[in-house]
Amino acid sequence: MKKILAIIRPDKLEAVKNALEKIGCHGMTVRDVKGRGRQLGVTENYRGRDYRIDILPKTEIEIVTRETDVEGIVQAIIETAKTGDIGDGKIFISSVEEVIRIRTGERGDKAI
């Protein structure tokens, strides 16, 4: 099993969620987060003064899935979240040792 952690632009959440549903990926956890990468923030002008905003709002999507489903999920996220501009986000993939469904006690793939 694998955990996919995607950090995307907040305005891309609905498109990504719809794309994931189309390929059969329904379970996910979504969080509003703030951060920065190479973009190092943006400069905005308000009432004639420049302000640097260096921690930007992002959306984090966390999905635990079977290893065989990872590539399809990753491609769906990339295709729908990509704008081609700096700040599109990142995807992290890591291994998950065990998953246990609390309600039934099921483990492994059955618990996903």
Side-chain angles (χ1 to χ4, degrees):
M1 291 172 289
K2 296 289 186 177
K3 178 169 77 170
I4 300 168
L5 181 69
I7 310 292
I8 63 170
R9 296 173 183 267
D11 60 313
K12 293 293 186 173
L13 176 60
E14 279 301 311
V16 169
K17 186 181 67 139
N18 292 337
L20 291 171
E21 286 176 1
K22 283 182 184 176
I23 63 168
C25 177
H26 302 287
M28 65 186 77
T29 301
V30 177
R31 294 180 193 88
D32 290 324
V33 296
K34 292 183 179 185
R36 73 176 194 185
R38 287 186 182 171
Q39 184 179 9
L40 300 177
V42 294
T43 302
E44 292 188 2
N45 188 296
Y46 179 72
R47 292 188 178 184
R49 300 183 92 186
D50 286 337
Y51 292 92
R52 182 163 177 78
I53 302 169
D54 63 351
I55 302 293
L56 299 172
K58 299 289 181 180
T59 298
E60 178 182 280
I61 302 170
E62 185 177 65
I63 301 165
V64 176
T65 188
R66 294 170 186 83
E67 197 162 340
T68 56
D69 296 335
V70 170
E71 195 54 38
I73 292 170
V74 167
Q75 284 306 311
I77 294 169
I78 291 171
E79 289 170 10
T80 53
K82 181 178 179 179
T83 67
D85 295 327
I86 292 174
D88 278 350
K90 293 217 173 26
I91 299 172
F92 304 93
I93 301 170
S94 57
S95 294
V96 174
E97 283 188 37
E98 184 70 87
V99 176
I100 303 166
R101 185 184 312 271
I102 294 173
R103 179 176 52 88
T104 62
E106 293 172 303
R107 293 175 174 258
D109 285 354
K110 292 180 183 177
I112 298 176

